[in-house]
Coordinates of all heavy atoms in Angstrom, one line a residue:
M746 N 7.6 11.5 -15.9 CA 7.2 10.7 -14.7 C 5.8 11.0 -14.4 O 5.4 12.2 -14.4 CB 8.1 11.0 -13.5 CG 7.5 10.4 -12.3 SD 8.6 10.2 -10.8 CE 9.1 11.9 -10.5
Y747 N 5.0 10.0 -14.2 CA 3.6 10.2 -13.8 C 3.5 10.8 -12.4 O 4.2 10.3 -11.5 CB 2.8 8.9 -13.8 CG 1.4 9.0 -13.3 CD1 0.5 9.8 -14.0 CD2 1.0 8.5 -12.1 CE1 -0.8 10.0 -13.4 CE2 -0.2 8.6 -11.6 CZ -1.1 9.4 -12.2 OH -2.4 9.6 -11.7
Q748 N 2.6 11.7 -12.2 CA 2.4 12.4 -10.9 C 0.9 12.7 -10.9 O 0.4 13.5 -11.7 CB 3.3 13.6 -10.8 CG 3.2 14.3 -9.5 CD 4.1 15.5 -9.5 OE1 4.3 16.2 -10.5 NE2 4.6 15.9 -8.3
P749 N 0.2 12.2 -9.9 CA -1.2 12.5 -9.8 C -1.5 14.0 -9.6 O -0.6 14.7 -9.0 CB -1.7 11.7 -8.6 CG -0.6 10.8 -8.2 CD 0.6 11.3 -8.8
A750 N -2.6 14.5 -10.0 CA -3.0 15.9 -9.9 C -3.4 16.2 -8.5 O -3.1 15.4 -7.6 CB -4.1 16.2 -10.9
E751 N -4.0 17.3 -8.3 CA -4.3 17.8 -6.9 C -5.3 17.0 -6.1 O -5.4 17.1 -4.9 CB -4.9 19.3 -7.0 CG -3.8 20.3 -7.5 CD -4.1 20.7 -8.9 OE1 -5.2 20.6 -9.4 OE2 -3.1 21.1 -9.6
S752 N -6.1 16.2 -6.8 CA -7.2 15.5 -6.1 C -7.1 14.0 -6.4 O -6.9 13.6 -7.6 CB -8.5 16.0 -6.5 OG -9.6 15.3 -6.0
L753 N -7.3 13.2 -5.4 CA -7.5 11.7 -5.6 C -8.6 11.3 -4.6 O -8.4 11.0 -3.4 CB -6.2 11.0 -5.3 CG -6.2 9.5 -5.4 CD1 -7.0 9.0 -6.6 CD2 -4.8 8.9 -5.4
T754 N -9.8 11.3 -5.2 CA -11.0 11.0 -4.4 C -11.9 10.0 -5.2 O -11.5 9.6 -6.3 CB -11.9 12.2 -4.1 OG1 -12.3 12.8 -5.3 CG2 -11.0 13.3 -3.3
L755 N -13.0 9.6 -4.6 CA -13.9 8.7 -5.3 C -14.3 9.2 -6.7 O -14.4 8.4 -7.6 CB -15.1 8.4 -4.4 CG -16.1 7.4 -5.0 CD1 -15.5 6.1 -5.2 CD2 -17.3 7.3 -4.0
A756 N -14.4 10.5 -6.8 CA -14.8 11.1 -8.1 C -13.8 10.8 -9.3 O -14.3 10.7 -10.4 CB -15.0 12.6 -8.0
N757 N -12.6 10.6 -9.0 CA -11.6 10.4 -10.1 C -10.7 9.2 -9.8 O -9.7 9.0 -10.6 CB -10.8 11.7 -10.3 CG -9.8 12.0 -9.1 OD1 -10.0 11.6 -8.0 ND2 -8.8 12.8 -9.4
A758 N -10.9 8.4 -8.8 CA -10.0 7.3 -8.5 C -9.8 6.3 -9.6 O -8.7 5.9 -9.8 CB -10.5 6.6 -7.2
R759 N -10.9 6.0 -10.3 CA -10.7 5.0 -11.4 C -9.8 5.5 -12.5 O -8.9 4.8 -12.9 CB -12.1 4.7 -12.1 CG -12.0 3.7 -13.1 CD -13.3 3.3 -13.6 NE -14.0 2.5 -12.6 CZ -15.1 1.9 -12.7 NH1 -15.7 2.0 -13.8 NH2 -15.6 1.3 -11.7
A760 N -9.9 6.8 -12.9 CA -9.0 7.3 -13.9 C -7.5 7.4 -13.4 O -6.6 7.1 -14.1 CB -9.5 8.7 -14.3
V761 N -7.4 7.9 -12.1 CA -6.0 8.0 -11.6 C -5.4 6.6 -11.4 O -4.2 6.4 -11.7 CB -6.1 8.8 -10.2 CG1 -4.7 8.8 -9.5 CG2 -6.6 10.2 -10.4
L762 N -6.2 5.6 -11.0 CA -5.7 4.3 -10.9 C -5.1 3.8 -12.2 O -4.0 3.3 -12.3 CB -6.8 3.3 -10.4 CG -6.5 1.8 -10.4 CD1 -5.4 1.5 -9.5 CD2 -7.7 1.0 -10.1
G763 N -5.9 4.0 -13.3 CA -5.5 3.6 -14.6 C -4.2 4.3 -15.0 O -3.3 3.6 -15.6
E764 N -4.1 5.5 -14.8 CA -2.9 6.3 -15.2 C -1.7 5.7 -14.5 O -0.6 5.6 -15.1 CB -3.1 7.8 -14.9 CG -4.2 8.5 -15.7 CD -4.6 9.8 -15.2 OE1 -4.1 10.3 -14.1 OE2 -5.5 10.4 -15.9
G765 N -1.8 5.5 -13.2 CA -0.7 5.0 -12.4 C -0.3 3.6 -12.9 O 0.8 3.2 -12.9
L766 N -1.3 2.7 -13.2 CA -1.0 1.4 -13.6 C -0.3 1.4 -14.9 O 0.6 0.6 -15.2 CB -2.3 0.6 -13.7 CG -3.0 0.2 -12.4 CD1 -4.3 -0.5 -12.7 CD2 -2.1 -0.6 -11.5
R767 N -0.7 2.3 -15.8 CA 0.0 2.4 -17.1 C 1.5 2.8 -16.9 O 2.4 2.3 -17.5 CB -0.7 3.4 -18.1 CG -1.9 2.7 -18.7 CD -2.5 3.6 -19.8 NE -3.2 4.8 -19.2 CZ -4.4 4.9 -18.6 NH1 -5.1 3.8 -18.5 NH2 -4.9 6.0 -18.2
A768 N 1.7 3.8 -16.0 CA 3.1 4.2 -15.6 C 3.9 3.1 -15.1 O 5.1 2.9 -15.4 CB 3.0 5.4 -14.7
I769 N 3.3 2.3 -14.2 CA 4.0 1.2 -13.6 C 4.3 0.1 -14.7 O 5.4 -0.4 -14.7 CB 3.2 0.5 -12.4 CG1 3.1 1.6 -11.3 CG2 3.7 -0.8 -12.0 CD1 2.0 1.3 -10.3
A770 N 3.4 -0.2 -15.6 CA 3.6 -1.1 -16.6 C 4.7 -0.6 -17.6 O 5.5 -1.4 -18.1 CB 2.3 -1.3 -17.4
A771 N 4.9 0.7 -17.7 CA 6.0 1.2 -18.5 C 7.3 1.3 -17.8 O 8.3 1.7 -18.4 CB 5.6 2.6 -18.9
G772 N 7.3 0.8 -16.5 CA 8.6 0.7 -15.8 C 8.9 1.8 -14.8 O 9.9 1.8 -14.2
Q773 N 7.9 2.7 -14.6 CA 8.1 3.7 -13.6 C 8.2 3.1 -12.2 O 7.4 2.3 -11.8 CB 7.0 4.7 -13.6 CG 7.2 5.9 -12.7 CD 6.2 7.0 -13.0 OE1 5.8 7.3 -14.1 NE2 5.8 7.7 -11.9
A774 N 9.2 3.5 -11.4 CA 9.5 2.9 -10.1 C 9.2 3.9 -9.0 O 9.4 3.5 -7.8 CB 10.9 2.4 -10.0
E775 N 8.8 5.1 -9.3 CA 8.5 6.1 -8.3 C 7.3 7.0 -8.7 O 7.2 7.3 -9.9 CB 9.7 7.0 -8.0 CG 9.5 8.1 -7.0 CD 10.7 9.0 -6.9 OE1 11.8 8.6 -7.3 OE2 10.5 10.1 -6.4
I776 N 6.4 7.2 -7.8 CA 5.3 8.1 -8.0 C 5.4 9.2 -7.0 O 5.3 8.9 -5.8 CB 3.9 7.4 -8.0 CG1 3.9 6.4 -9.2 CG2 2.8 8.4 -8.2 CD1 2.6 5.6 -9.3
D777 N 5.5 10.5 -7.5 CA 5.5 11.6 -6.6 C 4.1 12.1 -6.3 O 3.4 12.5 -7.1 CB 6.4 12.7 -7.3 CG 6.5 14.0 -6.4 OD1 6.0 14.0 -5.3 OD2 7.2 14.9 -6.9
L778 N 3.8 12.1 -5.0 CA 2.4 12.5 -4.5 C 2.3 13.9 -4.0 O 1.3 14.3 -3.5 CB 2.0 11.5 -3.4 CG 2.1 10.0 -3.8 CD1 1.8 9.2 -2.5 CD2 1.1 9.7 -4.9
S779 N 3.4 14.7 -4.3 CA 3.4 16.0 -3.7 C 2.3 17.0 -4.1 O 2.0 17.9 -3.4 CB 4.8 16.7 -3.9 OG 5.0 16.8 -5.3
R780 N 1.8 16.8 -5.3 CA 0.7 17.7 -5.8 C -0.6 17.4 -5.2 O -1.6 18.2 -5.3 CB 0.6 17.6 -7.3 CG 1.8 18.2 -8.0 CD 1.8 18.1 -9.5 NE 0.5 18.1 -10.1 CZ 0.3 17.8 -11.3 NH1 1.3 17.3 -12.1 NH2 -0.9 17.8 -11.8
L781 N -0.8 16.2 -4.5 CA -2.1 15.9 -4.0 C -2.5 16.8 -2.8 O -1.7 17.0 -1.9 CB -2.1 14.4 -3.5 CG -2.2 13.3 -4.5 CD1 -2.1 12.0 -3.8 CD2 -3.4 13.4 -5.3
G782 N -3.7 17.4 -2.9 CA -4.1 18.2 -1.8 C -5.4 17.7 -1.2 O -5.6 17.8 0.0
T783 N -6.3 17.1 -2.1 CA -7.5 16.5 -1.6 C -7.5 15.0 -1.8 O -7.4 14.6 -2.9 CB -8.7 17.2 -2.4 OG1 -8.6 18.6 -2.3 CG2 -10.1 16.7 -1.9
V784 N -7.7 14.3 -0.7 CA -7.7 12.9 -0.7 C -8.8 12.3 0.1 O -9.3 13.0 1.0 CB -6.4 12.2 -0.3 CG1 -5.2 12.6 -1.2 CG2 -6.0 12.6 1.1
D785 N -9.3 11.1 -0.2 CA -10.2 10.4 0.7 C -9.7 8.9 0.7 O -8.6 8.6 0.2 CB -11.6 10.6 0.3 CG -12.0 10.0 -1.1 OD1 -11.2 9.2 -1.6 OD2 -13.1 10.3 -1.6
S786 N -10.5 8.0 1.3 CA -10.1 6.7 1.4 C -9.8 6.0 0.0 O -9.1 5.0 -0.1 CB -11.2 5.9 2.1 OG -12.4 5.9 1.5
S787 N -10.4 6.6 -1.0 CA -10.1 6.0 -2.4 C -8.6 6.2 -2.7 O -8.1 5.4 -3.5 CB -10.9 6.8 -3.4 OG -12.3 6.6 -3.2
A788 N -8.0 7.2 -2.2 CA -6.6 7.4 -2.4 C -5.7 6.3 -1.8 O -4.8 5.8 -2.5 CB -6.1 8.8 -1.9
V789 N -6.1 5.9 -0.7 CA -5.4 4.8 0.0 C -5.5 3.5 -0.8 O -4.6 2.8 -1.1 CB -5.9 4.6 1.5 CG1 -5.2 3.4 2.1 CG2 -5.6 5.8 2.3
A790 N -6.8 3.2 -1.3 CA -7.0 2.0 -2.1 C -6.3 2.1 -3.4 O -5.7 1.1 -3.8 CB -8.5 1.9 -2.3
T791 N -6.2 3.2 -4.0 CA -5.4 3.4 -5.2 C -3.9 3.1 -5.0 O -3.3 2.4 -5.8 CB -5.7 4.8 -5.8 OG1 -7.1 5.0 -6.1 CG2 -4.9 5.0 -7.1
L792 N -3.4 3.7 -4.0 CA -2.0 3.5 -3.7 C -1.6 2.0 -3.4 O -0.6 1.5 -3.9 CB -1.5 4.3 -2.6 CG -1.7 5.8 -2.7 CD1 -1.1 6.6 -1.5 CD2 -1.1 6.4 -4.0
L793 N -2.5 1.3 -2.7 CA -2.3 -0.1 -2.5 C -2.4 -0.9 -3.7 O -1.6 -1.8 -3.9 CB -3.3 -0.6 -1.4 CG -3.2 -0.1 0.0 CD1 -4.3 -0.5 0.9 CD2 -1.9 -0.6 0.6
A794 N -3.3 -0.5 -4.6 CA -3.4 -1.2 -5.9 C -2.2 -1.0 -6.8 O -1.7 -1.9 -7.4 CB -4.7 -0.7 -6.7
W795 N -1.6 0.2 -6.7 CA -0.4 0.4 -7.4 C 0.8 -0.4 -6.9 O 1.5 -1.0 -7.6 CB 0.0 1.9 -7.4 CG -0.8 2.8 -8.1 CD1 -1.7 2.5 -9.1 CD2 -0.9 4.3 -8.0 NE1 -2.3 3.7 -9.7 CE2 -1.8 4.8 -9.0 CE3 -0.2 5.2 -7.2 CZ2 -2.0 6.1 -9.1 CZ3 -0.5 6.5 -7.3 CH2 -1.4 7.0 -8.3
K796 N 0.8 -0.5 -5.6 CA 1.9 -1.3 -4.9 C 1.7 -2.8 -5.3 O 2.7 -3.5 -5.6 CB 1.8 -1.2 -3.4 CG 2.3 0.1 -2.9 CD 3.8 0.1 -3.0 CE 4.5 0.9 -1.9 NZ 5.9 0.8 -1.9
R797 N 0.5 -3.3 -5.3 CA 0.2 -4.7 -5.7 C 0.6 -4.9 -7.2 O 1.2 -5.9 -7.5 CB -1.2 -5.0 -5.6 CG -1.6 -5.4 -4.1 CD -3.0 -6.0 -4.1 NE -4.0 -5.2 -4.7 CZ -4.8 -4.2 -4.1 NH1 -4.5 -4.0 -2.8 NH2 -5.7 -3.6 -4.7
A798 N 0.3 -3.9 -8.1 CA 0.7 -4.1 -9.5 C 2.2 -4.1 -9.6 O 2.7 -4.9 -10.5 CB 0.1 -2.9 -10.3
A799 N 2.9 -3.3 -8.9 CA 4.4 -3.3 -9.0 C 4.9 -4.6 -8.5 O 5.8 -5.2 -9.1 CB 4.9 -2.1 -8.2
A800 N 4.4 -5.1 -7.4 CA 4.8 -6.4 -6.8 C 4.6 -7.5 -7.8 O 5.4 -8.4 -7.9 CB 4.2 -6.6 -5.5
A801 N 3.5 -7.5 -8.5 CA 3.1 -8.5 -9.5 C 4.2 -8.6 -10.6 O 4.3 -9.6 -11.2 CB 1.7 -8.3 -10.0
R802 N 4.8 -7.4 -10.9 CA 5.9 -7.4 -11.9 C 7.3 -7.6 -11.3 O 8.3 -7.4 -11.9 CB 5.8 -5.9 -12.5 CG 4.5 -5.6 -13.2 CD 4.5 -4.2 -13.7 NE 5.7 -3.8 -14.6 CZ 5.8 -4.1 -15.9 NH1 4.8 -4.7 -16.5 NH2 6.8 -3.7 -16.5
N803 N 7.3 -8.0 -10.0 CA 8.5 -8.2 -9.3 C 9.4 -6.9 -9.3 O 10.6 -6.9 -9.4 CB 9.4 -9.3 -9.9 CG 8.7 -10.7 -9.6 OD1 8.2 -10.9 -8.5 ND2 8.7 -11.5 -10.6
A804 N 8.7 -5.8 -9.1 CA 9.3 -4.4 -9.1 C 8.9 -3.8 -7.8 O 7.9 -4.1 -7.2 CB 8.9 -3.6 -10.3
S805 N 9.7 -2.8 -7.4 CA 9.4 -2.0 -6.3 C 8.8 -0.7 -6.8 O 9.0 -0.3 -7.9 CB 10.6 -1.7 -5.4 OG 11.6 -1.0 -6.1
L806 N 8.0 -0.1 -5.9 CA 7.4 1.2 -6.2 C 7.5 2.1 -5.0 O 7.0 1.8 -4.0 CB 5.9 1.0 -6.6 CG 5.1 2.3 -6.9 CD1 5.7 3.0 -8.2 CD2 3.6 2.1 -7.0
A807 N 8.2 3.2 -5.2 CA 8.3 4.2 -4.2 C 7.2 5.3 -4.3 O 7.1 5.8 -5.4 CB 9.7 4.9 -4.2
L808 N 6.5 5.5 -3.2 CA 5.5 6.6 -3.2 C 6.1 7.7 -2.4 O 6.2 7.5 -1.2 CB 4.2 6.0 -2.6 CG 3.6 4.9 -3.4 CD1 2.4 4.2 -2.6 CD2 3.1 5.3 -4.8
T809 N 6.5 8.8 -3.0 CA 7.2 9.8 -2.3 C 6.4 11.1 -2.1 O 5.4 11.3 -2.8 CB 8.5 10.2 -3.1 OG1 8.1 10.7 -4.4 CG2 9.4 9.0 -3.3
N810 N 6.8 11.8 -1.1 CA 6.2 13.1 -0.8 C 4.7 13.1 -0.6 O 3.9 14.0 -1.0 CB 6.5 14.1 -2.0 CG 8.0 14.3 -2.2 OD1 8.7 14.4 -1.3 ND2 8.4 14.2 -3.4
A811 N 4.2 12.1 0.1 CA 2.8 12.0 0.5 C 2.4 13.1 1.4 O 3.1 13.4 2.4 CB 2.5 10.7 1.1
P812 N 1.3 13.8 1.1 CA 0.9 14.9 2.0 C 0.4 14.3 3.4 O 0.1 13.1 3.5 CB -0.3 15.5 1.2 CG -0.8 14.5 0.3 CD 0.4 13.6 0.0
A813 N 0.4 15.2 4.3 CA 0.0 14.8 5.7 C -1.3 14.2 5.8 O -1.6 13.2 6.5 CB 0.1 16.0 6.7
S814 N -2.3 14.7 5.0 CA -3.7 14.1 5.0 C -3.7 12.7 4.5 O -4.4 11.9 5.1 CB -4.6 15.0 4.1 OG -4.1 15.1 2.8
L815 N -2.9 12.4 3.6 CA -2.8 11.0 3.0 C -2.1 10.1 4.0 O -2.5 8.9 4.3 CB -2.1 11.0 1.7 CG -2.0 9.6 1.0 CD1 -3.4 8.9 0.9 CD2 -1.4 9.8 -0.4
Q816 N -1.0 10.6 4.6 CA -0.4 9.8 5.7 C -1.3 9.5 6.8 O -1.3 8.4 7.4 CB 0.9 10.6 6.1 CG 2.0 10.7 5.1 CD 3.1 11.5 5.6 OE1 3.4 11.6 6.8 NE2 3.8 12.2 4.6
S817 N -2.1 10.5 7.2 CA -3.0 10.3 8.3 C -4.1 9.3 8.0 O -4.4 8.4 8.8 CB -3.7 11.7 8.6 OG -4.7 11.5 9.6
L818 N -4.6 9.3 6.8 CA -5.6 8.2 6.3 C -4.9 6.8 6.3 O -5.5 5.9 6.8 CB -6.1 8.5 5.0 CG -7.3 9.5 4.9 CD1 -7.6 9.8 3.4 CD2 -8.5 9.0 5.6
A819 N -3.7 6.7 5.8 CA -3.1 5.5 5.8 C -2.8 5.0 7.2 O -3.0 3.7 7.5 CB -1.7 5.6 5.1
G820 N -2.5 5.8 8.1 CA -2.3 5.4 9.5 C -3.6 5.0 10.1 O -3.7 4.0 10.9
L821 N -4.7 5.7 9.8 CA -6.0 5.4 10.4 C -6.4 4.0 9.9 O -7.0 3.2 10.7 CB -7.0 6.4 9.9 CG -8.5 6.2 10.3 CD1 -8.7 6.4 11.8 CD2 -9.4 7.1 9.5
Y822 N -6.1 3.6 8.7 CA -6.5 2.3 8.2 C -5.4 1.2 8.5 O -5.6 0.1 8.1 CB -6.7 2.3 6.7 CG -8.0 3.2 6.4 CD1 -7.8 4.3 5.5 CD2 -9.2 2.9 6.9 CE1 -8.9 5.1 5.2 CE2 -10.3 3.7 6.6 CZ -10.2 4.8 5.8 OH -11.2 5.6 5.5
G823 N -4.3 1.6 9.1 CA -3.3 0.7 9.5 C -2.5 0.2 8.4 O -1.9 -0.9 8.5
V824 N -2.4 0.9 7.3 CA -1.6 0.5 6.2 C -0.4 1.4 5.9 O 0.2 1.3 4.9 CB -2.4 0.3 4.9 CG1 -3.5 -0.8 5.1 CG2 -3.1 1.6 4.5
D825 N -0.1 2.3 6.8 CA 1.0 3.3 6.6 C 2.3 2.6 6.4 O 3.1 3.0 5.6 CB 1.1 4.3 7.7 CG 1.1 3.7 9.1 OD1 0.5 2.6 9.3 OD2 1.6 4.3 10.0
G826 N 2.5 1.4 7.0 CA 3.8 0.7 6.8 C 3.9 0.1 5.4 O 5.0 -0.2 4.9
L827 N 2.7 -0.1 4.7 CA 2.7 -0.7 3.4 C 3.0 0.4 2.3 O 3.4 0.1 1.2 CB 1.4 -1.4 3.1 CG 1.0 -2.5 4.0 CD1 -0.4 -3.0 3.6 CD2 2.0 -3.7 3.8
L828 N 2.7 1.6 2.7 CA 2.9 2.7 1.7 C 4.2 3.4 2.0 O 4.8 4.0 1.1 CB 1.7 3.7 1.8 CG 0.3 3.0 1.6 CD1 -0.8 4.1 1.8 CD2 0.2 2.4 0.2

């Protein structure tokens, strides 16, 4: 199962986005975010892109174990309900 590493920031968002998209295309229905420690707004954008990709395949995608920092950013941007 694909699981992002400790960081999801602007510096690595493109690579992490691609890894997640490949996992979704392979049929993965859950991404565990528990290892994420460092996030910025790029993380929120990446998660939303993953959700869109899953929806385009008529599949659901569960994002589990989001760290508090990521939940806080999602709340700040008003997308916590989408994630």
Side-chain angles (χ1 to χ4, degrees):
M746 169 165 57
Y747 172 67
Q748 184 180 31
E751 293 106 24
S752 174
L753 179 44
T754 64
L755 184 58
N757 67 340
R759 182 173 292 186
V761 174
L762 172 65
E764 293 165 358
L766 291 175
R767 284 189 290 282
I769 293 163
Q773 186 168 324
E775 178 182 339
I776 296 179
D777 181 359
L778 305 172
S779 63
R780 291 177 30 196
L781 286 176
T783 304
V784 295
D785 65 13
S786 59
S787 301
V789 175
T791 299
L792 301 184
L793 290 172
W795 289 344
K796 285 288 213 174
R797 281 192 304 272
R802 298 175 54 84
N803 292 318
S805 62
L806 178 67
L808 301 170
T809 59
N810 303 313
S814 57
L815 182 54
Q816 292 177 29
S817 177
L818 276 176
L821 177 68
Y822 295 122
V824 297
D825 48 333
L827 298 175
L828 304 177

